[in-house]
Amino acid sequence: MRDTSDFRLLDDLPSDCFDMLVASFAKWLTNEYRFLYAECLGIKVNMEGSTLGDILLIDKGDILENANRHGIAVQIQWLNGLENEKLLDLLSQRNPLMLELDEYNCYWRKNYKRIHRCHFILLHRIDLRESVFICTDTYPTQQHFILPLDFIIQYGLRVLSFWNKEAPPQEINPCAILQPLILKYYRKDDIGTAADRLNWLIDQIPNFNISNEVKGYQDVDAIYIPVIWKLKNIQWSYKQFQYLLDFLDMKQTANLHDYLLRVSKYWEIITNSLTLSIIRKEEIFPSGTIQENLRKVVYNEERMFEALRHICEYGYCNYYSGV
């Protein structure tokens, strides 16, 4: 088995359990993880959705692809049909393994038998005498967690393993990393650009109500209601993007960081406002607060991407945006 004595769970990152575990593997294998967030920003909309939770679609790219580009090999295997011996052999070679479960089946968690959602844990080793796995649960973190082999075989969905490809260090080119994100922001779909999509969403906000957003989720914590979970992921993505900028050593661009902090703050206000309305079981949707802060998001994000585009075209110097 691999020596995992220096493996650390990055459970203080602003992310869900999947992103957090992948970042933990990246940090362990390459001593860096911030490159994972190269595509983290992006929002799409489902125009056919009837609730804000249905309409919001997160477009954060694929962090597994980003991991692969930076020297981390990833193997994904379905547990259905995988023989026990092969699972144990994989564990012995590439421990710890990342296991996907449906939280609906996780009897030790609050959402047991309440909602179907992906949940990821770590498998460290197996005690063959007791037929149990030594695990780490996530979100919240629970170390030295025990799960029976039978449970893993019956309810495990996929297992992911990670290892270092020992590839030569990749040269960091900030513009090469940022350019695809800039293009994604300005690229048009049926509605228009990213700014056009948010402006379209602003116009839809008065059509939503609290009861429709929480329907079917009355017995779960507010964070697991789809609209809140998606808003949290959006809010987290801007903090992750800040990590990426730090990784790219873009400390010279103070105005860019200011825009980023503002946008993150406005998404946080939107998330907290709606969360509070749900917790208080209010009937009135906080439309005014959400629309006001979405407009601020649009304004500041446009200037943030204007700054990014200018940096990629002309470099860091002599850029002053009219605020």
Side-chain angles (χ1 to χ4, degrees):
M1 300 186 77
R2 295 191 291 192
D3 179 9
T4 61
S5 58
D6 58 347
F7 181 93
R8 297 290 181 270
L9 201 62
L10 302 178
D11 52 4
D12 58 345
L13 293 179
S15 63
D16 58 24
C17 57
F18 180 83
D19 287 10
M20 180 259 288
L21 285 176
V22 176
S24 299
F25 276 105
K27 176 65 174 176
W28 180 48
L29 294 169
T30 69
N31 201 36
E32 183 56 79
Y33 66 91
R34 295 171 296 177
F35 53 75
L36 295 172
Y37 305 133
E39 303 170 45
C40 67
L41 292 183
I43 300 168
K44 293 181 179 179
V45 295
N46 168 25
M47 296 177 65
E48 305 302 319
S50 58
T51 67
L52 182 57
D54 290 336
I55 286 176
L56 282 174
L57 300 175
I58 311 302
D59 182 22
K60 292 175 58 177
D62 188 337
I63 66 171
L64 293 183
E65 288 186 7
N66 289 332
N68 188 265
R69 293 189 194 105
H70 288 266
I72 300 173
V74 184
Q75 182 181 22
I76 304 174
Q77 289 186 269
W78 289 96
L79 277 183
N80 185 24
L82 185 67
E83 297 179 0
N84 290 7
E85 291 77 9
K86 290 186 177 180
L87 173 60
L88 299 183
D89 183 58
L90 187 61
L91 180 63
S92 69
Q93 295 180 48
R94 296 178 183 163
N95 62 303
L97 301 178
M98 184 170 158
L99 177 72
E100 179 183 354
L101 298 162
D102 182 343
E103 197 165 2
Y104 185 87
N105 298 317
C106 297
Y107 57 84
W108 64 95
R109 295 185 63 82
K110 286 184 177 181
N111 291 326
Y112 176 56
K113 297 298 183 183
R114 291 183 176 179
I115 56 174
H116 292 281
R117 62 190 302 274
C118 293
H119 181 58
F120 294 88
I121 67 173
L122 289 178
L123 304 181
H124 292 283
R125 60 186 185 277
I126 187 168
D127 184 335
L128 289 173
R129 290 176 300 178
E130 301 293 334
S131 292
V132 296
F133 280 96
I134 314 301
C135 313
T136 295
D137 194 20
T138 57
Y139 218 86
T141 299
Q142 187 175 350
Q143 302 281 6
H144 306 296
F145 182 66
I146 306 297
L147 282 178
L149 171 62
D150 291 345
F151 176 87
I152 300 295
I153 297 303
Q154 182 176 358
Y155 294 110
L157 300 176
R158 296 185 300 169
V159 63
L160 292 79
S161 56
F162 300 79
W163 67 97
N164 196 325
K165 293 190 293 187
E166 305 296 343
Q170 187 178 36
E171 183 178 351
I172 304 303
N173 183 332
C175 287
I177 292 175
L178 293 171
Q179 195 64 42
L181 192 62
I182 295 170
L183 292 175
K184 184 170 74 169
Y185 178 78
Y186 289 106
R187 188 180 299 122
K188 294 184 178 181
D189 60 11
D190 292 341
I191 298 177
T193 65
D196 295 328
R197 288 193 289 275
L198 285 180
N199 281 319
W200 176 88
L201 185 61
I202 290 169
D203 292 337
Q204 307 306 310
I205 295 298
N207 299 328
F208 305 131
N209 62 70
I210 297 292
S211 60
N212 285 344
E213 299 295 339
V214 302
K215 186 176 181 180
Y217 297 90
Q218 292 88 342
D219 297 329
V220 302
D221 291 343
I223 192 173
Y224 297 117
I225 297 171
V227 64
I228 302 302
W229 188 250
K230 290 181 179 180
L231 286 171
K232 286 298 292 185
N233 271 273
I234 293 169
Q235 179 186 333
W236 286 333
S237 70
Y238 288 92
K239 295 180 179 179
Q240 292 168 352
F241 189 60
Q242 179 69 64
Y243 291 152
L244 176 69
L245 294 180
D246 293 341
F247 168 70
L248 298 176
D249 197 25
M250 298 181 68
K251 298 180 178 64
Q252 306 96 319
T253 54
N255 61 329
L256 177 60
H257 290 268
D258 287 343
Y259 292 135
L260 185 56
L261 289 173
R262 292 174 197 169
V263 173
S264 180
K265 180 186 72 174
Y266 299 139
W267 277 115
E268 185 175 8
I269 293 172
I270 291 168
T271 305
N272 292 344
S273 174
L274 187 52
T275 302
L276 193 58
S277 295
I278 290 173
I279 291 174
R280 290 175 173 173
K281 298 183 179 180
E282 297 175 351
E283 297 182 3
I284 299 176
F285 199 86
S287 300
T289 299
I290 293 176
Q291 287 178 304
E292 175 187 355
N293 284 280
L294 278 177
R295 292 189 185 99
K296 294 177 180 178
V297 166
V298 172
Y299 178 87
N300 284 277
E301 192 173 56
E302 282 183 318
R303 278 142 190 83
M304 184 180 77
F305 275 94
E306 179 185 337
L308 282 173
R309 188 166 62 177
H310 188 280
I311 288 168
C312 286
E313 290 180 358
Y314 304 107
Y316 295 121
C317 302
N318 302 320
Y319 177 74
Y320 302 94
S321 175
V323 178

